[in-house]
């Protein structure tokens, strides 16, 4: 059973890097177009995936530490709707529009 382990590791590494390459946005891919990276990963079973891991994608440090992070670029932190000023402004604007419409309808009904 142990003699199959290297082959399973190579297959697992290839599948991981293939999926990682496909899920990486085009602007984060370095050096070559994404299609070329996919071909390299699939054709060169050990070298292709290892080269992709180290040179194929822009990587950011996870947790502020240097080194090989593998994390995605940081996005804006999620803000709860009741703390989000843009969302609250959109609610106020929506309510103002409803109030204006109701006022117009009331004036029209009175005439």
């Amino acid at each position: 059973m142990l003699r199959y382990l290297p082959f399973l590791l190579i297959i697992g590494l290839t599948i991981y890097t293939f999926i990682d390459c496909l899920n990486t946005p085009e602007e984060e891919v370095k050096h070559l177009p994404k299609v070329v990276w996919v071909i390299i990963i699939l054709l060169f079973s050990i070298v292709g995936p290892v080269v992709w891991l180290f040179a194929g994608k822009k990587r950011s440090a996870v947790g502020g530490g240097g080194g090989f992070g593998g994390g995605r670029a940081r996005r804006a932190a999620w803000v709860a709707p009741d703390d989000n000023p843009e969302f609250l402004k959109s609610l106020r604007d929506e309510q103002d529009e409803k109030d204006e419409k109701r006022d117009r309808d009331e004036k029209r009904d009175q005439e």
Side-chain angles (χ1 to χ4, degrees):
M1 184 65 166
L2 275 174
R3 64 181 169 184
Y4 298 118
L5 186 61
F7 299 110
L8 293 175
L9 290 175
I10 292 170
I11 290 171
L13 179 66
T14 303
I15 290 171
Y16 170 77
T17 54
F18 176 72
I19 292 172
D20 186 41
C21 182
L22 291 179
N23 288 332
T24 301
E26 191 71 41
E27 59 270 4
E28 290 183 20
V29 176
K30 296 190 319 185
H31 306 297
L32 297 170
K34 192 188 311 194
V35 175
V36 176
W37 277 114
V38 168
I39 292 170
I40 289 172
I41 290 169
L42 294 176
L43 286 181
F44 304 104
S45 63
I46 298 173
V47 176
V50 170
V51 171
W52 166 257
L53 289 175
F54 288 103
K57 167 180 172 176
K58 294 179 187 172
R59 306 227 182 239
S60 62
V62 176
F68 186 74
R72 296 213 180 266
R74 292 199 180 265
R75 296 184 180 158
W78 183 82
V79 179
D82 57 342
D83 292 336
N84 187 338
E86 293 173 10
F87 178 72
L88 295 174
K89 182 182 181 313
S90 71
L91 288 178
R92 278 192 301 271
D93 292 344
E94 226 175 84
Q95 187 62 44
D96 290 344
E97 288 175 16
K98 287 180 183 178
D99 291 343
E100 289 173 8
K101 183 179 179 191
R102 184 181 36 127
D103 291 343
R104 283 191 306 251
D105 290 345
E106 285 177 358
K107 278 186 178 181
R108 189 183 54 196
D109 289 343
Q110 289 176 357
E111 293 175 353

